[in-house]
DNA sequence: TGAGCAATTGAAGACTTCTTCAAGTTGACC
DNA sequence: GGTCAACTTGAAGAAGTCTTCAATTGCTCA
């Protein structure tokens, strides 16, 4: 690997660092989804969604296939699905931890 | 939680999206580290490191304590250490998966 | 072939984040 | 107190990312 590992990791996390992209990846975690549905679920403008999908595609973590007039997206591999599950679990724990921290700070503050 | 979950997750990942911050978090995964050592390990300018540490502090995932003339940083809680371990594992798998993908593409291309 | 929907692309401006510099704070030691 | 080292802060310009618009491609169906 040419690029230093920290750099690669940072790039990867930065790629995850957008609400629409996260949402898309979680939806794809359940299975392939046509763009039309992603559009409906995320509620963003079509061109904006396309831009975000392009970021995910460039990162190689999703793939798109055409099905007639529609395009369907899917996670590029099972690793990605695992990753999303793990990220979800971790994040939930993490945010919960922070919520508790905030709660305890609020009590102290009184 | 007021902020939509996707937003919170995205912010969290964005916070991880910097090579110096990743490096720092991994070093702190082993235990508390004085700024002096972080400085030596990362090789960045002091003020730059301080800025990155401030980002991590604001996110609440590290804490700093003064020890005489030195400042020592540590992960804010055990959850964070777990998180870093999980992130490392996931990322390694992920990057490995990508490497394999690239390798197979290279073969196909010939 | 042409109308029309689905999705993507390119480009421009707004907005964030990074890096760097100079200045400030805090504690140790004389 | 004065000075030095360790670290942090604020601010400014450079660099990167987001959103949006208009234009484009690919497909279907008449």
């Amino acid at each position: 690997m040419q690029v230093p590992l920290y750099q690669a990791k940072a790039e990867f996390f930065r790629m995850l660092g957008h609400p629409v992209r996260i949402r898309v990846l979680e939806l794809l975690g359940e299975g392939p989804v046509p763009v039309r549905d992603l559009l409906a679920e995320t509620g963003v403008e079509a061109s904006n969604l396309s831009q975000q999908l392009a970021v995910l595609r460039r990162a190689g973590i999703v793939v798109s296939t055409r099905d007639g007039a529609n395009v369907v997206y899917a996670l590029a591999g099972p690793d990605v699905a695992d990753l999303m599950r793990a990220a979800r679990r971790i994040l939930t724990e993490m945010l919960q931890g922070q919520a508790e921290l905030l709660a305890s700070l609020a009590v102290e503050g009184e």
Side-chain angles (χ1 to χ4, degrees), chain A residues 8 10 15 18 21 26 28 30 32 37 41 43-46 48 60-62 69-70 80 83 87 96 100 103 106:
Chain A
M15 185 222 76
H18 189 289
R21 295 196 294 260
E26 292 194 339
L28 297 185
E30 320 262 301
D37 294 1
E41 286 284 344
V44 303
E45 223 193 319
N48 194 345
I61 82 164
V62 305
N70 303 314
V80 183
L83 176 125
Q96 191 178 312
E100 279 161 20

Side-chain angles (χ1 to χ4, degrees), chain A residues 4-23:
Chain A
L5 193 54
Y6 319 116
Q7 183 92 25
K9 289 191 184 183
E11 268 164 33
F12 183 79
F13 284 125
R14 216 178 315 134
M15 185 222 76
L16 293 178
H18 189 289
V20 170
R21 295 196 294 260
I22 291 280
R23 189 96 177 79

